[in-house]
């Protein structure tokens, strides 16, 4: 089965979201984020989380590739539970325990902690769907379609590519240290920070050399500030699915905005 | 005067080099943020020891506002990639890292200090604006947003987040920032990449 490389990993060509343009997907990310941030309610936030989880399945994102993020989810749940137990003042009918510093545990404390976790994770899952089904070329085409200046498109594109390039350089430098028997992760905090300096100085020197090379390459290919009329080898396309996703997302944002305007919900719910 | 020094004086104004420099530094910061092995957390969403801050401060000193933009983009990319925050929230939160780079950049440019830390005055500027004050506004801003979205449960947790953030950053800006400025600044200047003013 053929696959395509996105920002995060290879995805099967059968993934429907690979054929959706980046503007539609970004509108969907925005709609989910606005909805998640607008209402802090256990049921509502759980529904949004389930919706974004379903999006990941529809996008055919391999579960094994999400291991790191799922660990993060578990870690965050533990952290939020501890924080809300020790340092929150969520009102409720029954106060189970009051701490000497004034915070307390009520019957609503854990529900609130879970709602916040669902809220954050629904936004992260939809962003994951975007990153795992989108290439840097898609983003550049979308930015160009939105008529943003080419300099900005170039800046974003080169930044995204640089992360991948310098990740390899970073690993090479670390491997060079390991091959000499130096483990930079050993020792106390100060020792490890000092080790960090010795690893990052070569990376910065490599980077500074590459800046001049890339600048020379870009300028020799005609890149200049404020350039207009740039053409692209790939074409930006609108399919029926794009129209459907964009229209649905804009509608969802509009509904939330109207409800917020009528005072029926606050755009950002303060948790304290 | 050497030919390379002559070249620096001739190239005034914003050039494509600044855009390339910003994009590549954003990529490097992204790598530093992603692979910072010593990132530890005290309150959710806030790293107490976050070595990438030192690079943001140093990049601000070297590259002025471009360093701030690199810090901003670097955090958005790395944070979204690592699942620390969703993309729309990252666009708002990353202003904290922009301010961490721009505060020392502004101090060195307004007070006419040497980022190579040559004299007592340069040291004083770096200690006050690079180590102590650089991350204070950003830490308050970032934690305040986290408090509003419920990521941080109360004002008690907010202050724990702000204080641990700044203590951790004092440490990394001292241990990492000072050697970087002392050792790499001459190289940055020789390479013609040092940004004397705010943008050029």
């Amino acid at each position: 089965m053929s696959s395509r490389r996105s920002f995060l990993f290879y995805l099967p060509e059968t993934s429907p979201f690979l054929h959706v343009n980046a503007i539609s997907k970004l509108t969907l990310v925005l709609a989910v984020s606005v909805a998640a941030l607008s209402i802090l309610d256990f049921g509502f936030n759980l529904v949004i989380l389930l919706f974004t989880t379903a999006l990941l399945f529809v996008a055919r994102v391999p579960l094994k590739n999400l291991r790191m993020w799922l660990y993060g989810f578990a870690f965050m749940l533990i952290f939020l539970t501890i924080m809300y137990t020790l340092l929150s003042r969520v009102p409720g009918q029954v106060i189970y325990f009051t701490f000497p510093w004034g915070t307390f545990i009520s019957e609503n404390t854990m529900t609130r902690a879970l709602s916040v976790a669902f809220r954050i994770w629904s936004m992260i899952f939809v962003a994951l769907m975007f990153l795992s089904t989108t290439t840097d070329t898609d983003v550049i085409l979308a930015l160009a379609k939105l008529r943003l200046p080419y300099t900005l498109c170039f800046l974003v594109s080169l930044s995204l590519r640089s992360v991948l390039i310098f990740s390899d350089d970073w690993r090479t430098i670390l491997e060079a240290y390991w091959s000499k028997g130096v483990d930079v992760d050993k020792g106390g905090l100060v020792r490890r920070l000092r080790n960090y300096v010795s690893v990052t100085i070569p990376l910065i020197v490599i980077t500074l050399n590459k800046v001049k090379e890339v600048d020379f390459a870009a300028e020799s290919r005609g890149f200049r500030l404020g350039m207009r009329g740039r053409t692209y080898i790939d074409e930006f396309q609108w399919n029926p699915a794009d129209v459907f996703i964009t229209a649905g997302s804009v509608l969802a944002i509009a509904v939330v905005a109207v409800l917020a305007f009528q005072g029926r919900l606050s755009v950002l719910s303060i948790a304290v | 005067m050497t030919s390379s020094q002559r070249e620096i004086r001739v190239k005034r104004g914003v050039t494509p080099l600044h855009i390339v420099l910003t994009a590549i530094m954003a990529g490097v910061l992204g790598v530093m943020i992603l692979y910072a092995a010593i990132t530890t957390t005290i309150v959710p969403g806030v790293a107490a020891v976050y070595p990438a801050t030192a690079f943001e401060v140093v990049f601000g000193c070297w590259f002025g506002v471009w360093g701030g933009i690199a810090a901003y983009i670097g955090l958005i990319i790395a944070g979204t990639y690592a699942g620390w925050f969703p993309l729309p929230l990252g666009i708002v939160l990353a202003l904290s890292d922009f301010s961490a780079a721009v505060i020392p950049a502004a101090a060195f440019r307004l007070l006419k200090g040497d980022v190579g830390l040559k004299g007592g005055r340069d040291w004083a500027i770096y200690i006050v604006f690079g180590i102590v004050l650089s991350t204070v506004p950003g830490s308050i801003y970032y934690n305040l947003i986290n408090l509003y979205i419920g990521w941080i449960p109360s004002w008690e947790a907010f202050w724990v987040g702000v204080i641990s953030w700044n203590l951790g950053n004092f440490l990394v800006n001292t241990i990492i920032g000072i050697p970087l400025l002392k050792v790499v600044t001459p190289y940055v200047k020789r390479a013609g990449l040092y940004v004397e003013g705010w943008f050029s």
Side-chain angles (χ1 to χ4, degrees), chain B residues 171-194:
Chain B
L171 197 66
V172 296
N173 287 335
T174 306
I175 297 174
I176 299 177
I178 291 171
L180 278 180
L181 285 176
K182 292 289 286 178
V183 175
V184 190
T185 298
Y187 184 85
V188 174
K189 288 187 173 176
R190 268 203 310 279
L193 298 172
Y194 178 66

Side-chain angles (χ1 to χ4, degrees), chain A residues 8 33 69 76 79 83-84 87 89 116 119-120 123-124 170-171 185 189 196 200 207 209 212 215 225 269 271-272, chain B residues 14 17 19 24 28 32 35-36 38 42-44 51 55 81 83 86 88 148-151 153-154 156-157 187 191:
Chain A
L8 296 181
S33 303
W69 287 278
M76 191 198 75
F79 247 93
M83 289 301 291
Y84 268 84
L87 293 169
R89 287 193 186 88
V116 171
R119 161 188 272 190
I120 302 289
M123 293 192 284
I124 287 175
W170 173 257
R171 274 187 217 108
D185 291 330
L189 185 61
Y196 204 67
T200 50
T207 307
N209 289 332
K212 291 214 141 186
D215 175 53
L225 298 179
S269 313
V272 286
Chain B
V14 177
L17 177 68
I19 305 299
I24 290 186
V28 170
M32 306 277 187
Y35 299 109
I38 321 168
I42 292 178
V43 298
F55 298 95
Y81 179 86
Y148 269 71
I149 62 166
W151 190 236
S154 63
E156 283 84 355
Y187 184 85

